[in-house]
Amino acid sequence: NLKGLELSFLLLLLADVNSKEMHSGNQTSVSHFILVGLHHPPQLGVPLFLAFLVIYALTVCGNGLIIFTILVDTRLHHPMYWFLCHLSFLDVTVSSAIVPKMLAGFVLDSRVISFGGCVIQLFSFHFLGCTECFLYTLMAYDRFLAICKPLHYATIMTRNICNYLALGTWLGGTLHSLFQTSFIFRLPFCGPNQVDYFFCDIPAMLRLACADITINELVTFVDIGFLALTCFMLILTSYGYIVVAILRIQSTDGRCNAFSTCAAHLTVVIVYYVPCTFIYLRPGSQEPLDGVVAVFYTVITPLLNPIVYTLRNKEMKAALWRLGGRKDVLPH
């Protein structure tokens, strides 16, 4: 299955990294890294810990509530909400890959991460992030079919097709992250070992490599840039057709409902793509603002997604009311 395939890929990658460490002599002497984390006065450690702990708890609870609601409410057993369920799961796992280690750094001063742990963190983050990128594109295509081809929607977007498309996003994320991670950790790391960031990410790790990173920066720029631009253009194209179709709807209620659903998705897409573009499409950047932007898309964005989808989506709001016992509430 897919999880077994991901685990096999990761074990092979770690084996390659360990072998490289053992046979490269003094060239690769780093056995662990120190995550410098967010720069802040010592007296703000506890307040920051509490703030990020609350955000993380709300992220897990909010996205968990969306997943639970979609699973138990049969009225939401449609492709759009199936993909939203995947998105909420991704938000929880992305946040879980980064935030716990950050929290430990605030109060326990536990900033050390092993070489293998750094590999796993970078792989996990880019695997989940790339999967989310593909999923946004898939959700836009789903809305395009539902609004522009409503008579064919049920025959095109069947349950099996949904499952295959969702599986494709996870597989695509796995392959992309495997390529990026292996390409980064084939470089020699001989010190210093202080990562000027709060997690192991490509730009921060490249700055620690004891080799020419020009090719790596170029490959990262082209690979992530091509991926992000392609997905973003497909999303914009889908919504271009959607806007035209919505304007042709005679019913005011139908038009408002379609705009409400699509506005939620577009809001999430913009919140996701703008910070990622700022970080990854500027090779060699070392601006202090990078850390703030990274906090936004690793910590804040996973919290915003459930808020956006519950406030902007009338069917989700109605389902949450029904879950709370208000079964007479209908979307309007």
Side-chain angles (χ1 to χ4, degrees), residues 30-82:
V30 172
S31 61
H32 64 275
F33 295 100
I34 299 173
L35 299 174
V36 174
L38 298 175
H39 297 280
H40 63 277
Q43 61 269 25
L44 290 182
V46 173
L48 285 173
F49 169 81
L50 294 175
F52 280 103
L53 179 62
V54 170
I55 292 173
Y56 179 61
L58 291 174
T59 298
V60 174
C61 292
N63 285 288
L65 181 61
I66 286 181
I67 294 171
F68 180 74
T69 303
I70 292 172
L71 292 178
V72 301
D73 194 324
T74 56
R75 303 187 197 187
L76 299 182
H77 289 182
H78 302 295
M80 181 179 77
Y81 296 104
W82 171 239

Side-chain angles (χ1 to χ4, degrees), residues 200-217:
C200 295
D201 198 13
I202 292 175
M205 299 310 298
L206 285 179
R207 290 196 287 270
L208 298 181
C210 302
D212 184 8
I213 61 173
T214 305
I215 298 299
N216 288 80
E217 287 184 335

Side-chain angles (χ1 to χ4, degrees), residues 209-246:
C210 302
D212 184 8
I213 61 173
T214 305
I215 298 299
N216 288 80
E217 287 184 335
L218 179 62
V219 169
T220 299
F221 177 83
V222 172
D223 180 36
I224 296 180
F226 174 77
L227 177 67
L229 181 61
T230 301
C231 290
F232 192 61
M233 291 306 297
L234 289 173
I235 292 171
L236 289 182
T237 301
S238 296
Y239 277 97
Y241 283 106
I242 288 171
V243 169
V244 172
I246 289 176

Side-chain angles (χ1 to χ4, degrees), residues 133-207:
C133 181
F134 290 140
L135 188 62
Y136 284 133
T137 309
L138 183 55
M139 293 173 74
Y141 177 66
D142 172 72
R143 291 300 82 206
F144 162 75
L145 290 178
I147 295 174
C148 299
K149 298 182 182 294
L151 299 179
H152 302 92
Y153 180 74
T155 57
I156 296 175
M157 198 62 74
T158 63
R159 177 172 295 184
N160 284 337
I161 293 297
C162 286
N163 289 334
Y164 288 137
L165 290 173
L167 181 66
T169 64
W170 289 88
L171 182 59
T174 300
L175 295 176
H176 170 80
S177 183
L178 182 68
F179 168 72
Q180 284 288 349
T181 306
S182 61
F183 203 57
I184 293 294
F185 286 100
R186 285 183 177 275
L187 293 170
F189 291 91
C190 50
N193 66 341
Q194 288 195 331
V195 182
D196 192 16
Y197 221 48
F198 59 94
F199 71 103
C200 295
D201 198 13
I202 292 175
M205 299 310 298
L206 285 179
R207 290 196 287 270

